[in-house]
Amino acid sequence: MMADANKAYVGPIPSGKKIKIVFVIGGPGSGKGTQCSKIVNQFGYTHLSAGDLLRHEVKSNTEQGTMIQNLMHEGKLVSSDIIVRLLLKAMLASGNDKFLIDGFPRNEENREAYEKIINIDPEFVLLIDCSREEMERRILHRNQGRDDDNMDTIRRRFQVFQESTLPVIQHYEKTGKLRRVDGTRQPDMVFEDVKAIFEQLNTQANQGGIAQTNPFKRWFLHLCCGCFDVQDRRD
Ligand SMILES: Nc1ncnc2c1ncn2[C@@H]1O[C@H](COP(=O)(O)OP(=O)(O)OP(=O)(O)O)[C@@H](O)[C@H]1O
Ligand SMILES: Nc1ccn([C@@H]2O[C@H](COP(=O)(O)O)[C@@H](O)[C@H]2O)c(=O)n1
């Protein structure tokens, strides 16, 4: 059974496979999109940018599109229900089972709506940490014709980050899901740290896989370190 994201679907994505989700968060202009492109190239994830999905929706010329455009122009957050359903629709359409969700969750309401509608625990949450001066400098030089890359909206977006996104970061820090990288350096240097985090995730998955798929290696582990009860960590 395939869920239709336009209908009132509530619950996890119906799939036999384990779906991997990584949230990528950080202040405006911290380099989330830049790092996501590199992750996609190296690790085969599908990149879903919440901001891009909303910008695409604006182009639809619907009443909802106009409402989203106004909120984005003011640097305000769009209703969580809308953004989570756009994410779900894009996930279902992609055919992939590994997703980078960029710019999400932006507030506690986003996080709660995700847990209610999609409800797949993220592997981890990547935080690109960057100073405000550097983020501001980057946005003002971005030159992609974005309606919200102006000083008034930038101020509002920083305020939203401080007031609404920091509590989300604190939540994931408490739950041990947060992976923080220093995003003030050159993109390739930032990616060295990002890459190490993704490689660690792959290593963990492979170790779990070995325990299930290769009984000889499992037996060898038992002989070497007495860990015959190695669990298959892939669910
Ligand atoms: N590490 C970096 N050093 C210098 N410039 C960077 C770095 N990372 C990204 N940039 C540049 O900064 C600008 C913002 O980067 P990017 O769009 O990746 O940020 P973002 O966090 O996705 O932004 P937003 O939240 O506003 O969508 C872009 O012009 C990008 O080329
Ligand atoms: N979860 C989200 C993500 C984004 N928005 C709105 O889009 C704007 C641009 O987002 P970027 O990630 O591309 O910087 C953002 O300022 C919000 O207006 C949102 O509402 N909810």
Side-chain angles (χ1 to χ4, degrees):
M1 188 195 72
M2 212 43 189
D4 178 348
N6 291 314
K7 295 201 181 126
Y9 173 77
V10 179
I13 288 182
S15 163
K17 282 195 268 179
K18 169 156 180 166
I19 293 171
K20 278 192 188 151
I21 306 268
V22 173
F23 292 145
V24 182
I25 54 179
S30 55
K32 300 180 292 296
T34 304
Q35 293 302 317
C36 283
S37 305
K38 293 176 183 292
I39 300 164
V40 166
N41 288 340
Q42 185 123 5
F43 296 101
Y45 280 71
T46 291
H47 175 204
L48 300 178
S49 152
D52 284 351
L53 290 173
L54 291 170
R55 278 183 281 278
H56 185 259
E57 201 58 19
V58 167
K59 288 191 193 137
S60 66
N61 274 330
T62 57
E63 218 173 285
Q64 175 168 284
T66 309
M67 186 263 290
I68 293 173
Q69 183 175 33
N70 292 336
L71 287 168
M72 289 176 86
H73 182 66
E74 291 174 44
K76 293 183 180 163
L77 295 180
V78 174
S79 136
S80 298
D81 202 53
I82 293 178
I83 183 66
V84 172
R85 278 167 208 286
L86 288 174
L87 285 170
L88 178 60
K89 194 172 177 177
M91 285 169 73
L92 291 169
S94 83
N96 200 351
D97 56 357
K98 303 198 284 189
F99 301 95
L100 289 174
I101 304 191
D102 161 6
F104 182 93
R106 279 296 227 272
N107 60 8
E108 286 289 279
E109 189 200 75
N110 273 186
R111 187 175 67 75
E112 282 159 16
Y114 172 89
E115 284 171 8
K116 191 169 152 214
I117 298 173
I118 298 182
N119 196 25
I120 299 171
D121 201 23
E123 301 295 320
F124 59 84
V125 178
L126 180 65
L127 169 65
I128 317 266
D129 220 354
C130 198
S131 68
R132 178 164 171 166
E133 305 78 65
E134 177 62 13
M135 292 193 274
E136 206 172 282
R137 194 189 62 75
R138 289 179 190 175
I139 294 176
L140 292 173
H141 286 89
R142 176 157 49 189
N143 210 12
Q144 280 179 1
R146 270 177 60 166
D147 188 35
D148 54 352
D149 281 355
N150 64 77
M151 219 36 236
D152 277 352
T153 314
I154 291 170
R155 252 183 238 116
R156 178 70 192 150
R157 285 159 69 197
F158 278 129
Q159 193 185 345
V160 168
F161 179 69
Q162 290 285 333
E163 289 172 4
S164 304
T165 314
L166 285 187
V168 176
I169 293 170
Q170 281 158 3
H171 167 85
Y172 287 120
E173 197 148 35
K174 270 194 215 137
T175 59
K177 289 266 173 193
L178 197 73
R179 305 286 180 275
R180 191 186 290 261
V181 295
D182 172 8
T184 50
R185 300 160 297 158
Q186 286 305 303
D188 284 344
M189 288 182 69
V190 180
F191 188 61
E192 283 303 306
D193 289 355
V194 169
K195 195 166 78 174
I197 295 169
F198 278 84
E199 280 168 352
Q200 194 186 16
L201 178 68
N202 282 348
T203 307
Q204 284 165 356
N206 288 339
Q207 279 170 352
I210 285 167
Q212 186 192 50
T213 56
N214 192 334
F216 293 103
K217 283 200 178 157
R218 191 168 176 231
W219 177 67
F220 180 68
L221 278 174
H222 164 63
L223 290 180
C224 291
C225 50
C227 46
F228 198 64
D229 284 333
V230 177
Q231 296 291 312
D232 179 14
R233 272 182 256 155
R234 301 176 312 173
D235 23 328

